[in-house]
């Protein structure tokens, strides 16, 4: 059974960096059949995909277009985990952040299972 | 980005009822659609993928159908534990996108 356990601070100051970690059990961050994602949820914007990392003979990343330049998702093979860094945060980045495994199906279709428990992150001074 | 629109935004039903939630995609996504259930303070839980395939452990009273741009999630014989918010997610185009959610209340 795959489980994802998130950790990281719940309060981040404006213009600082948001950093979260997701520890994987029951699967490998280096698996070549899944991807490892960060998704956030807020009342105003709903569920938003942020970015992912995955291994296919080498490491790849994809990011939401509106996040490019501010976001980094990186694997840590030694700890079997992956992390999110979001720079220059503003109050609009206040949300619940989730990590999730992306299962790849036919024709590169995909869905998310399982999800981490979620981390409420508030951006405030 | 592919816009996903759910209806209704909220529904109230009684135990034993049948409930149907609709999800429309802004462009065709073949059958690459997933449904999730979320309860307050918890992460979304995958119920159905590829439009109609039930995730392991999900009760058979949950049923998905559709293809292209229109999809439905049907819950038959509604149970008290089925309350929560339901989301669709398209798994065809990048970036993956979600519907805005349908809140299900048990009367």
């Amino acid at each position: 059974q795959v489980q994802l356990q998130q950790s990281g601070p719940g309060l981040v100051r404006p213009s600082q960096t948001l950093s979260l970690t997701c520890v994987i059990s029951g699967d490998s961050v280096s698996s070549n059949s899944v991807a490892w994602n960060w998704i956030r949820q807020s009342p105003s914007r709903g569920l938003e995909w942020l970015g992912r990392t995955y291994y296919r003979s080498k490491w790849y990343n994809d990011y939401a277009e509106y996040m490019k330049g501010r976001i980094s998702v990186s694997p840590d093979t030694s700890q079997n985990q992956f992390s999110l860094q979001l720079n220059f945060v503003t109050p609009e980045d206040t949300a619940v952040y989730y990590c999730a495994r992306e299962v790849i199906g036919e024709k590169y279709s995909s869905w998310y299972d399982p999800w981490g428990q979620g981390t409420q992150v508030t951006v405030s001074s | 980005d592919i816009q996903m629109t759910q209806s209704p935004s909220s529904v109230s039903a009684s135990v034993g009822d049948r409930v149907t939630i609709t999800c429309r995609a802004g462009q065709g996504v073949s059958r690459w659609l997933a449904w999730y259930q979320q309860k307050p303070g918890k992460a979304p839980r995958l119920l159905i993928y590829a439009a109609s395939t039930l995730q392991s452990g999900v009760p058979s009273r949950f049923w998905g159908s559709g293809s292209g741009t229109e999809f439905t999630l049907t819950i038959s014989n509604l149970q008290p534990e089925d309350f929560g918010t339901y989301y669709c997610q398209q798994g065809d185009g990048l970036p993956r996108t979600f519907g805005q959610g349908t809140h299900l209340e048990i009367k």
Side-chain angles (χ1 to χ4, degrees):
Chain A
Q1 180 187 1
V2 179
Q3 292 185 316
L4 304 178
Q5 181 69 37
Q6 300 177 218
S7 62
L11 178 65
V12 183
R13 305 299 182 192
S15 81
Q16 299 299 304
T17 297
L18 181 163
S19 296
L20 297 173
T21 298
C22 184
V23 177
I24 304 162
S25 57
D27 202 343
S28 171
V29 71
S30 303
S31 169
N32 60 11
S33 60
V34 300
W36 304 97
N37 290 250
W38 288 97
I39 297 165
R40 71 182 181 183
Q41 183 176 33
S42 63
S44 58
R45 299 170 70 111
L47 286 161
E48 286 183 292
W49 174 78
L50 301 177
R52 66 181 179 178
T53 188
Y54 58 98
Y55 184 75
R56 302 288 186 271
S57 301
K58 69 175 186 176
W59 289 101
Y60 293 88
N61 292 102
D62 294 311
Y63 300 121
E65 197 64 35
Y66 68 96
M67 283 290 180
K68 283 183 179 177
R70 279 210 301 146
I71 188 173
S72 174
V73 177
S74 55
D76 180 346
T77 57
S78 66
Q79 301 292 320
N80 201 34
Q81 63 188 31
F82 64 107
S83 62
L84 167 70
Q85 283 202 67
L86 186 61
N87 301 319
F88 310 112
V89 297
T90 72
E92 286 66 47
D93 293 312
T94 294
V96 178
Y97 286 74
Y98 294 100
C99 60
R101 184 181 68 162
E102 181 181 2
V103 179
I104 313 299
E106 293 178 47
K107 299 186 179 179
Y108 303 102
S109 64
S110 67
W111 50 91
Y112 302 103
D113 179 67
W115 298 54
Q117 80 276 21
T119 301
Q120 170 67 54
V121 176
T122 300
V123 179
S124 175
S125 54
Chain B
D1 297 5
I2 298 176
Q3 184 172 359
M4 307 301 292
T5 304
Q6 291 181 229
S7 60
S9 56
S10 66
V11 59
S12 180
S14 299
V15 172
D17 282 355
R18 177 171 165 165
V19 171
T20 298
I21 299 168
T22 298
C23 177
R24 288 186 174 87
Q27 64 188 68
V29 296
S30 186
R31 57 190 177 93
W32 310 129
L33 185 104
W35 290 98
Y36 301 85
Q37 176 195 63
Q38 185 177 34
K39 297 196 174 182
K42 299 294 187 181
R45 169 198 177 199
L46 178 68
L47 299 175
I48 287 169
Y49 60 92
S52 60
T53 302
L54 208 61
Q55 173 69 341
S56 175
V58 175
S60 58
R61 63 179 181 274
F62 290 88
W63 182 60
S65 65
S67 66
T69 60
E70 188 153 337
F71 300 85
T72 59
L73 171 68
T74 300
I75 312 170
S76 59
N77 188 23
L78 199 66
Q79 296 299 299
E81 61 267 28
D82 297 335
F83 77 92
T85 304
Y86 291 80
Y87 295 93
C88 61
Q89 172 243 318
Q90 63 83 13
D92 187 46
L94 293 175
R96 306 307 192 211
T97 47
F98 295 85
Q100 81 280 13
T102 295
H103 179 70
L104 171 58
E105 175 192 76
I106 309 297
K107 287 180 185 174

